[in-house]
Amino acid sequence: MKYDRTKKLFGDDVFEKFKDVKLILLGVGGVGSFALDALYNTGIKNITIVDFDTYEESNLNRQMGSIGNIGRIKVEALKEKYPEVTPIHLKITPEWIDNFDFSSYDYILDAIDDVKPKVHLIKKHFTKIISTSGGAKRIDPSKIEYISIWDTYNDPFIKKIRTELKAQGFKKKFKVIFSSELPMCLEKGSFEGVTGSFGLMMASVTIQKLLAKFQK
């Protein structure tokens, strides 16, 4: 029976509450696509997905939905795979973040890999964001943690985010999903065992936050 294992884990009452959850996922690449798959398969269908890119051959090693869809717009291809999602095909910028209404969403899932919009999003909506650093250049998923952004290390990308947040006066408590593993290369080499695990961790953190929210 569909969702039988999910209901056994969470219970029928919680599963019914999943149907009323509303999420927005920013970025559906090597991290975001796995978060989408895990959450959708758990019964959370009201998910808005935002991404500007099209699938390229270089995506085949790590992105859910890339096989058979080279050249296609990612959110449109994923809409076919996950028919109840709402796709938005555009580039995420600070200006778009300012103008978009995030108020109806339970959580904002941030898989953005661009410094400026990521910093702007965190500053503006940090209380409802579940954010990841980059999963590239690493091979060990056991090094992935969900900790304070101010305690992160060995990650040049999240260091840029941290530095820019400090420069803009942001000093709030804020956690990110990151890996303590030292990068293994200079260029953006990637392994799905890690990038996918980042997305699955994002899905897990989302579910845990929802469970805590349901109990209030």
Side-chain angles (χ1 to χ4, degrees):
M1 183 186 297
K2 190 176 183 180
Y3 299 118
D4 178 61
R5 302 292 179 94
T6 304
K7 292 177 181 179
K8 284 178 178 175
L9 178 61
F10 297 108
D12 289 340
D13 290 346
V14 168
F15 180 77
E16 288 302 312
K17 290 178 180 178
F18 284 157
K19 296 178 181 178
D20 296 323
V21 170
K22 187 176 182 182
L23 303 174
I24 184 166
L25 172 59
L26 307 182
V28 288
V31 173
S33 62
F34 279 82
L36 171 63
D37 189 70
L39 291 165
Y40 195 91
N41 290 340
T42 303
I44 299 174
K45 302 297 181 68
N46 191 351
I47 305 175
T48 298
I49 56 174
V50 187
D51 201 298
F52 180 70
D53 286 338
T54 56
Y55 285 114
E56 302 174 0
E57 287 190 354
S58 62
N59 301 148
L60 290 170
N61 79 317
R62 70 192 185 284
Q63 294 194 17
M64 192 81 69
S66 57
I67 296 175
N69 286 313
I70 301 304
R72 294 192 62 195
I73 293 169
K74 290 180 183 179
V75 295
E76 292 181 359
L78 290 171
K79 170 70 175 176
E80 293 178 5
K81 185 175 176 64
Y82 309 99
E84 294 184 55
V85 303
T86 300
I88 299 178
H89 177 229
L90 55 74
K91 187 172 181 61
I92 300 166
T93 64
E95 292 74 24
W96 177 79
I97 291 167
D98 281 339
N99 293 321
F100 188 81
D101 184 6
F102 290 94
S103 62
S104 65
Y105 296 97
D106 291 282
Y107 292 106
I108 303 164
L109 279 57
D110 161 32
I112 301 170
D113 59 4
D114 190 1
V115 172
K116 284 187 177 180
K118 196 177 191 79
V119 167
H120 195 71
L121 183 74
I122 292 170
K123 280 183 62 185
K124 191 163 186 177
H125 298 290
F126 69 95
T127 58
K128 61 194 302 183
I129 294 175
I130 299 165
S131 184
T132 76
S133 61
K137 309 177 186 179
R138 296 167 173 87
I139 63 170
D140 185 359
S142 73
K143 302 296 185 183
I144 298 172
E145 303 176 68
Y146 183 53
I147 67 171
S148 169
I149 191 170
W150 312 117
D151 295 333
T152 56
Y153 57 98
N154 288 347
D155 185 331
F157 175 67
I158 210 66
K159 183 179 180 181
K160 291 179 183 177
I161 304 299
R162 200 173 61 230
T163 300
E164 190 59 33
L165 284 170
K166 284 182 180 178
Q168 295 186 31
F170 182 87
K171 299 177 181 179
K172 306 288 187 180
K173 290 182 179 180
F174 184 71
K175 297 175 77 173
V176 294
I177 298 163
F178 104 112
S179 172
S180 61
E181 182 182 6
L182 279 167
M184 295 187 63
C185 57
L186 293 176
E187 296 181 297
K188 285 190 177 180
S190 58
F191 167 49
E192 188 174 276
V194 171
T195 57
S197 295
F198 264 79
L200 296 178
M201 177 71 98
M202 174 178 268
S204 174
V205 170
T206 303
I207 293 295
Q208 291 179 63
K209 285 182 176 289
L210 287 170
L211 294 177
K213 190 175 183 179
F214 294 159
Q215 291 172 357
K216 291 182 179 178

